Amino acid sequence: MMRGPLVVVGDALLDIDIEGTAERLCPDAPVPVVDVTARRRRPGGAGLAALIAARQGVEVVLVAGVGTDDHGRELSGLLAEHVRLVDLPFQGATPCKTRVRVAGQSLLRVDSGEGQVLDGPLGAHLPPVLNNAGAVLVADYGRGTTRNSSLRRALRGLPSDVPLVWDPHGRGAEPVERADLVVPNRAEAAYFTGTQHLDSAAGAGRELLRRWGCRAVAVTLGCEGAMLVPPHRGQPFPVPRARSVRSSADVCGAGDSFAVAVALTMAEGSERPDAVSEAVDAASRFVADGGASHLATSQERAVATDPTAGRPALEDGATGGRNALDVAADVRRGGGRLVATGGCFDLLHPGHVRLLQRARELGDALVVCMNSDDSVRRLKGPGRPVVGEADRRHLLEALEPVDAVAVFDESSPSALLDELRPDVWVKGGDYDLASLPEADVVHRHGGRTVFVPLVEGYSTTRLLSGLSTAV
């Protein structure tokens, strides 16, 4: 378990994907005409790294500068849904990167906004945020954050038991020597070593380790995995990619996914080789699942002109009482990701709703596995449930994040999950893997379990206790 949140430090951008079709050429120029079907906005840069971590149920604090312009306000709104934002001094227009994409391929990228983080003093609130982190990830996108001298001093002074992972950028400052692991990609390693073509990732890693004085370097190599160069003249060794990915896949965000996985795995106590191996696999999964273009917050879905473009037909989440197995089959046919969660959902409260919202954000459809009345009585006692099975199901189906509800009579939803085979199984942060026998079923089918932090102050038992006291 992490002792504190993941703190992501870096340059936050606004990313916009314009999706469309191109079936004809412009009459006055030999360029395709793109008919727009959807516009999707999401945090980019360090904001994307923070979003990737938050989607895994991790508490995330993002330390970044954001402008006060329209793009900055929009970016702040997208971030507020998932992370706590700690501002850095910033001047100018918020950087924005817009991609025009057709049939899963990028045709054009347009960049705007030259705002920068200033080299000014930091507030007294920032050092405690860093020092109480479970891990710190620096996601440098060359917009001035890593050149802030006060921030660099604070990073050098991190407690020794807080892992510091640094994802560098050619336009940014070099990592501080305190970094436990620096993760340049092939192009960045070539840039920092001054070689036009990188012939040896191991040689580049050794040179960067010597130059930066950091504790280890892992050069990421895209579809070839990564090359880890350990400290103390240890022998470099390759970490191969764990799975194949189609050549046309969207690799945007793969590096952020790698860096996030390294930081989280090291925060849990893993050594660097294991952390890099897990990160290679995580980046491969991220790309295989659709890359950054696959991510969507509720705000992003709201601005799509065609919510079904390029995604399964379950985008809007309205159920109409659909059969859970039919929903699962539809998601798989569309190449999407099925999420499931479960519980009694007796006396529906804001904690339940937030759990369902976070669960739905992890994929393309959400199935709720709900305990039957008999199952609730066995678990909670003869006085429960307060709300009957039919009404509980109706309330859940009326919620926007829920695509279908499946009722089970057993004490555990294992048999139901064996049929649904979800990609992600979501439970509240009051559980762990040891207390979830159904997690083995999910993992056997290639899925994973994600724990979402609870909303403090809400539980059905507490509500019932309060009602009895009031009466």
Side-chain angles (χ1 to χ4, degrees):
M1 293 288 292
M2 290 177 58
R3 72 168 199 175
L6 174 67
V7 177
V8 179
V9 179
D11 306 294
L13 321 173
L14 177 64
D15 282 354
I16 301 175
D17 279 354
I18 298 176
E19 304 278 353
T21 59
E23 299 176 349
R24 65 191 192 278
L25 292 177
C26 180
D28 55 359
V31 295
V33 175
V34 177
D35 294 312
V36 176
T37 58
R39 289 182 175 86
R40 294 186 175 87
R41 294 162 171 81
R42 65 175 177 275
L48 177 57
L51 177 60
I52 290 171
R55 289 291 180 84
Q56 299 178 44
V58 176
E59 182 185 359
V60 180
V61 178
L62 174 62
V63 179
V66 178
T68 58
D69 55 335
D70 288 344
H71 282 160
R73 286 189 289 271
E74 186 170 15
L75 175 57
S76 295
L78 290 171
L79 290 167
E81 188 176 352
H82 302 279
V83 307
R84 178 161 72 93
L85 180 62
V86 176
D87 288 323
L88 291 175
F90 187 87
Q91 185 176 66
T94 303
C96 177
K97 296 183 178 181
T98 301
R99 297 191 303 171
V100 180
R101 293 171 56 80
V102 173
Q105 297 282 355
S106 294
L107 295 184
L108 178 70
R109 196 182 92 181
V110 179
D111 291 2
S112 63
E114 292 301 322
Q116 296 275 331
V117 170
L118 303 176
D119 186 11
L122 306 176
H125 61 287
L126 184 56
V129 169
L130 295 172
N131 294 336
N132 293 323
V136 175
L137 167 62
V138 175
D140 190 357
Y141 275 78
R143 299 286 180 164
T145 297
T146 58
R147 296 188 183 280
N148 183 291
S149 54
S150 298
L151 178 60
R152 293 179 70 83
R153 282 194 298 272
L155 292 172
R156 289 190 183 99
L158 281 176
S160 60
D161 59 345
V162 177
L164 174 59
V165 176
W166 196 293
D167 190 359
H169 190 281
R171 292 171 58 185
E174 294 191 347
V176 298
E177 62 279 3
R178 164 63 178 77
D180 294 284
L181 183 64
V182 184
V183 292
N185 62 29
R186 191 194 303 264
E188 290 160 349
Y191 171 82
F192 284 116
T193 56
T195 58
Q196 186 175 2
H197 302 288
L198 183 60
D199 296 324
S200 169
R206 286 194 192 94
E207 170 60 22
L208 294 176
L209 191 65
R210 182 196 64 78
R211 176 182 302 186
W212 291 335
C214 56
R215 298 174 184 177
V217 172
V219 181
T220 59
L221 304 171
C223 64
E224 300 171 31
M227 178 66 70
L228 174 62
V229 180
H232 311 306
R233 297 185 179 181
Q235 183 64 33
F237 61 94
V239 179
R241 184 183 60 187
R243 64 182 66 197
S244 61
V245 177
R246 68 185 189 278
S247 59
S248 60
D250 182 9
V251 298
C252 177
D256 297 296
S257 176
F258 177 93
V260 165
V262 162
L264 293 179
T265 309
M266 290 179 64
E268 292 172 352
S270 294
E271 298 297 327
R272 295 184 191 92
D274 292 334
V276 172
S277 179
E278 171 60 30
V280 168
D281 189 40
S284 297
R285 288 197 305 269
F286 181 82
V287 174
D289 287 343
S293 60
H294 187 74
L295 298 176
T297 67
S298 59
Q299 292 188 33
E300 291 161 19
R301 289 194 291 273
V303 300
T305 58
D306 177 8
T308 63
R311 297 175 65 85
L314 304 166
E315 181 71 32
D316 289 330
T319 77
R322 293 192 63 196
N323 179 277
L325 293 178
D326 290 342
V327 169
D330 287 347
V331 171
R332 290 193 183 89
R333 278 195 296 270
R337 179 189 295 170
L338 178 67
V339 182
T341 189
C344 301
F345 296 97
D346 194 13
L347 285 187
L348 198 66
H349 56 68
H352 289 140
V353 175
R354 185 56 179 151
L355 170 72
L356 296 171
Q357 289 172 332
R358 293 296 299 271
R360 181 59 174 81
E361 290 163 0
L362 293 170
D364 300 285
L366 173 64
V367 172
V368 177
C369 302
M370 189 188 79
N371 297 73
S372 70
D373 287 350
D374 287 342
S375 177
V376 175
R377 275 189 286 271
R378 288 195 302 271
L379 291 171
K380 304 291 185 179
R384 302 283 296 275
V386 176
V387 180
E389 179 180 309
D391 289 336
R392 286 185 289 126
R393 178 171 189 158
H394 180 72
L395 287 169
L396 286 170
E397 288 177 342
L399 296 177
E400 188 274 338
V402 178
D403 292 280
V405 177
V407 180
F408 62 95
D409 287 317
E410 302 82 5
S411 298
S412 163
S414 295
L416 176 57
L417 291 171
D418 208 18
E419 293 187 79
L420 289 171
R421 294 179 287 119
D423 300 292
V424 184
W425 173 241
V426 177
K427 291 296 286 183
D430 53 338
Y431 290 89
D432 56 35
L433 285 176
S435 62
L436 295 176
E438 67 272 16
D440 289 338
V441 175
V442 174
H443 298 167
R444 187 172 68 242
H445 290 293
R448 60 191 177 97
T449 300
V450 171
F451 297 99
V452 172
L454 297 179
V455 177
E456 290 293 333
Y458 289 102
S459 77
T460 300
T461 301
R462 181 177 296 184
L463 289 173
L464 291 173
S465 176
L467 287 172
S468 63
T469 302
V471 171

